Amino acid sequence: MNFKDKLSKTEALKLLYENPKELDLNFKDIEGNRTLAAFYKAFANIIELSGHGEYDFSKMHSYEVSEIVMSISKV
């Protein structure tokens, strides 16, 4: 949730359970860390503008984001 501004009910259930279709939540979305999500969106834009590729961190696992950011920041 650090890199996502929100997570839908369906996405949350898929992350937490093997059988998400059999379960339900009493809310539509889970709010994440909007400030950090905005920071990483800006950082992804900087990475793209500097010629290091195009990434959508909101659709990636946190370890993947960390690896990308660390490898580019070492350059």
Side-chain angles (χ1 to χ4, degrees):
M1 290 300 299
N2 279 336
F3 306 117
K4 299 179 186 218
D5 54 353
K6 68 179 180 176
L7 195 63
S8 72
K9 172 174 47 173
T10 304
E11 291 171 326
L13 289 171
K14 283 181 183 178
L15 284 173
L16 296 172
Y17 301 101
E18 292 180 13
N19 55 351
K21 293 182 180 182
E22 297 177 11
L23 303 168
D24 194 18
L25 297 175
N26 60 352
F27 45 86
K28 293 181 183 180
D29 296 316
I30 298 172
E31 293 203 18
N33 187 334
R34 287 184 259 157
T35 303
L36 194 57
F39 172 76
Y40 274 97
K41 284 180 188 176
F43 198 67
N45 191 28
I46 292 168
I47 290 170
E48 181 181 350
L49 292 173
S50 65
H52 289 95
E54 188 174 329
Y55 300 98
D56 185 357
F57 291 152
S58 67
K59 296 181 180 179
M60 300 171 76
H61 292 282
S62 60
Y63 69 89
E64 294 172 311
V65 174
S66 295
E67 287 177 3
I68 292 167
V69 170
M70 294 303 288
S71 68
I72 292 171
S73 64
K74 289 181 183 179
V75 173

